[in-house]
Amino acid sequence: MLFSITNPFVFTVFGASGDLAKLKIFPTLYELMLQNRFPKEFYIVGFSRTKLTQSAFRKIFKESVEKKFGKDVNTKVLNALIKHVYYFSGQYTQIEDFIAFRLFLEKTTKKRKIEHIAYFSVPPVVFKDIVRNLGETRRSKKDDIRLIIEKPFGEDKKSAEELYHFVSQYFTEKQVYLLDHYLGKTSVQSILHLRRSNRILSHMLHGSEIANIQITAFEDIGVGDRIGYFEQVGTVRDMIQSHLLQILALITMNIPNHLDAESVQREKHAVLSAIDCPCDSENIVLGQYKHYSDKKGVSKTTRTETFAAVRLFLDQEDWYKVPIYLRTGKKLHEKHTYVVVELKKFPFQPKHEEPNRLIIELQPDERIHITLVNLHEDVQQQQEITTTDSIACSIEGCLPDHGTLLLEVIKGERLHFLSFHEIISAWTVVDQITSLSQKNKLRLHRYEHGSMGPKAQHTLPKKDGFSWYDIH
Ligand code: BG6
């Protein structure tokens, strides 16, 4: 049976007039409504600086859902949802506005004690103001409020630590949910569940059996309207810091006995803190798609990378000397996220023979393939065994990434959220890469739209006698 929320709640979206809210959050709320996941009483409150009337905001909300679902929108459901949508305009820096906001919530909810979930969909510069004002205007520390903070958490290790200590002055660790939407993808969640339930995979995913691991996250879209944000981060911070390193952790972590958040986060952290990045120009390839700098607001000499490939190792006995290659980029030939695990060959196998591969496709297809080789005089086969069913959610009532995560917050669970320690370890790796890039020690390779990225990426696996395994 599908989980439905029974207790009333308030869901505040800070940054409600921004892109993330319109593209992801409002359509997700609609999908939750469509699936009857909401209780009778709930309040969705948009908070942003833009001066808007409630009906203007409802219109924006409605349009964002209609834009996403087109003709398939269930108007009855959408209209019913809209009745639960409210708007409050305020300055993030003004404590008076947060006092007024508290009174607004009390009035709207008729002063009932209701769980409050605050979702941050704001640029990092205003983040602290909201946390402080929200913290200082609470009636009591016991107020049930949960903060959902989307990655990137900070912009480097130092700022992430500062931010964490800042948030800790006002809220307890239990009230803070650090979100990476990749952990909300059921295909990504399946990595752990498949590994936990199938001995066959645990044997294959043992470091001593593996020749190399390749993690690819290609996107066909460019930076779009998010250029302001992207210019400050670049692909390494935007994609590798959390999404790719989380996938890496899920693939290589030890499987804990208990499937609770603490155990899983502890094991992922063990991997992330063991990453050994020989971070230099031999092990990192950065790229930028052609005409990126033609965008309005971008300097002609910008060195922001839109493609990155990295060669890493894990400083752990089982994984000693197993190279791990990560690559990700925008404006490439297709949208495709997948993991290729190449198993070692027998010492007597000839060089030209293909290795066994375990391939986990995460999106848009969500399948597992295992390649088998059968070559002798009479048989010349290299076959692929492929799961016919999707490894992602396939039951009725599948939810988008943010939907599964929002329900988890409401349940008070955090299995698919990040721990602060994981974030810090990931930044430790990423800081090494970005500091080299800031010192201009890394070449920026230009690449064509619709290509597979800069050719220089091939030098990374080639160092170890391997090559990227491309799936189309
Ligand atoms: C976001 C990044 O976290 O993930 C974007 O900020 C990127 O730049 C997006 O496009 C990719 O997510 P998905 O779910 O489309 O693979």
Side-chain angles (χ1 to χ4, degrees):
M1 215 172 77
L2 295 182
F3 167 81
S4 297
I5 307 162
T6 45
N7 293 335
F9 68 91
V10 175
F11 182 70
T12 302
V13 182
F14 287 101
S17 56
D19 273 353
L20 179 65
K22 285 188 245 170
L23 291 173
K24 298 256 186 182
I25 307 305
F26 302 158
T28 297
L29 292 168
Y30 162 77
E31 282 192 75
L32 287 163
M33 182 78 177
L34 192 64
Q35 289 182 18
N36 260 324
R37 308 283 197 138
F38 288 148
K40 264 205 181 119
E41 186 185 352
F42 66 98
Y43 309 84
I44 294 167
V45 186
F47 186 126
S48 82
R49 290 173 290 199
T50 317
K51 287 243 172 290
L52 283 175
T53 61
Q54 182 158 289
S55 63
F57 179 66
R58 286 183 170 183
K59 190 162 172 265
I60 292 175
F61 189 111
K62 212 170 165 191
E63 281 168 3
S64 70
V65 175
E66 284 163 350
K67 194 168 171 198
K68 172 91 191 257
F69 297 100
K71 288 200 296 296
D72 294 336
V73 163
N74 182 326
T75 317
K76 205 166 145 215
V77 170
L78 183 55
N79 288 339
L81 175 63
I82 290 294
K83 291 194 186 126
H84 295 265
V85 173
Y86 301 81
Y87 185 70
F88 186 90
S89 154
Q91 292 301 319
Y92 299 135
T93 46
Q94 299 299 312
I95 188 148
E96 301 75 33
D97 288 1
F98 279 75
I99 295 171
F101 178 57
R102 194 192 64 209
L103 297 174
F104 168 83
L105 286 186
E106 286 176 355
K107 194 171 153 218
T108 312
T109 60
K110 299 177 194 72
K111 281 207 165 179
R112 295 195 34 206
K113 237 180 164 302
I114 289 185
E115 200 169 280
H116 186 187
I117 295 160
Y119 177 86
F120 289 73
S121 175
V122 291
V125 279
V126 293
F127 181 81
K128 279 188 181 171
D129 290 329
I130 303 177
V131 170
R132 184 180 49 246
N133 286 331
L134 209 50
E136 282 185 353
T137 54
R138 266 185 304 168
R139 286 258 182 239
S140 110
K141 284 220 163 189
K142 286 196 191 125
D143 280 359
D144 191 1
I145 180 159
R146 300 173 194 183
L147 314 189
I148 306 181
I149 305 172
E150 181 110 20
K151 70 105 223 168
F153 190 75
E155 58 208 36
D156 52 19
K157 182 177 167 195
K158 191 163 166 265
S159 62
E161 277 171 344
E162 271 170 20
L163 207 51
Y164 190 76
H165 291 130
F166 184 84
V167 176
S168 316
Q169 291 172 50
Y170 301 97
F171 299 98
T172 63
E173 203 168 334
K174 277 198 155 164
Q175 291 176 304
V176 180
Y177 290 77
L178 302 167
L179 183 150
D180 170 343
H181 79 276
Y182 267 49
L183 298 186
K185 294 183 190 294
T186 48
S187 60
V188 174
Q189 294 175 359
S190 287
I191 299 176
L192 177 60
H193 296 288
L194 282 162
R195 289 191 59 205
R196 276 193 104 237
S197 324
N198 297 286
R199 199 84 194 181
I200 187 173
L201 289 181
S202 69
H203 283 287
M204 281 177 151
L205 285 169
H206 200 272
S208 59
E209 296 296 321
I210 293 174
N212 72 83
I213 296 181
Q214 311 179 6
I215 301 175
T216 297
F218 281 170
E219 294 187 87
D220 50 359
I221 54 163
V223 173
D225 297 335
R226 299 164 68 231
I227 191 75
Y229 156 79
F230 199 80
E231 264 297 280
Q232 281 167 19
V233 291
T235 287
V236 175
R237 288 190 179 106
D238 185 46
M239 290 296 291
I240 292 188
Q241 192 270 338
S242 199
H243 301 331
L244 270 74
L245 291 183
Q246 279 294 314
I247 296 175
L248 162 61
L250 288 166
I251 293 281
T252 54
M253 67 190 252
N254 286 336
I255 298 294
N257 280 346
H258 301 287
L259 199 61
D260 55 83
E262 215 175 292
S263 310
V264 172
Q265 289 172 351
R266 185 192 61 228
E267 294 302 339
K268 281 194 290 164
H269 176 238
V271 171
L272 296 169
S273 57
I275 290 178
D276 172 18
C277 172
C279 288
D280 57 26
S281 58
E282 302 262 293
N283 292 288
I284 304 164
V285 172
L286 300 184
Q288 188 185 78
Y289 60 78
K290 286 191 181 161
H291 307 298
Y292 169 79
S293 61
D294 293 353
K295 267 202 165 284
K296 207 168 149 220
V298 179
S299 146
K300 281 278 164 242
T301 54
T302 177
R303 289 193 44 82
T304 305
E305 77 285 355
T306 59
F307 178 98
V310 187
R311 175 174 174 263
L312 305 165
F313 292 89
L314 292 184
D315 193 5
Q316 284 179 340
E317 188 186 355
D318 287 349
W319 295 96
Y320 183 62
K321 286 200 169 167
V322 178
I324 299 170
Y325 315 108
L326 314 178
R327 62 176 173 171
T328 177
K330 297 201 183 293
K331 282 266 186 204
L332 297 170
H333 66 304
E334 61 180 2
K335 168 93 180 162
H336 209 157
T337 311
Y338 56 91
V339 181
V340 177
V341 179
E342 289 197 348
L343 280 87
K344 278 187 182 155
K345 290 201 277 193
F346 292 112
F348 48 77
Q349 263 183 291
K351 236 183 152 194
H352 64 269
E353 239 173 57
E354 291 285 309
N356 289 137
R357 293 188 181 93
L358 166 69
I359 301 165
I360 308 176
E361 283 191 87
L362 299 169
Q363 60 179 1
D365 290 329
E366 298 138 334
R367 308 178 284 203
I368 290 203
H369 317 259
I370 295 172
T371 61
L372 289 180
V373 185
N374 184 10
L375 299 178
H376 55 100
E377 300 90 67
D378 309 326
V379 187
Q380 294 287 310
Q381 281 175 349
Q382 282 177 178
Q383 286 186 334
E384 228 171 74
I385 303 173
T386 302
T387 54
T388 45
D389 292 333
S390 162
I391 58 162
C393 173
S394 51
I395 55 161
E396 203 183 309
C398 293
L399 285 169
D401 321 339
H402 283 87
T404 56
L405 294 174
L406 177 59
L407 289 187
E408 214 170 301
V409 176
I410 286 179
K411 286 193 233 170
E413 293 170 5
R414 53 181 74 237
L415 181 62
H416 302 107
F417 286 82
L418 308 168
S419 69
F420 172 64
H421 298 298
E422 289 173 76
I423 293 177
I424 291 302
S425 296
W427 276 125
T428 307
V429 179
V430 162
D431 281 359
Q432 295 174 55
I433 306 175
T434 50
S435 86
L436 272 187
S437 148
Q438 277 153 8
K439 288 181 200 142
N440 284 353
K441 296 224 164 127
L442 298 172
R443 219 182 116 190
L444 196 62
H445 301 265
R446 309 280 156 191
Y447 62 95
E448 299 285 346
H449 292 190
S451 70
M452 293 190 67
K455 293 213 168 55
Q457 66 184 282
H458 299 291
T459 56
L460 304 189
K462 210 170 166 194
K463 275 173 92 73
D464 309 298
F466 303 120
S467 52
W468 289 106
Y469 188 70
D470 298 319
I471 313 177
H472 298 290

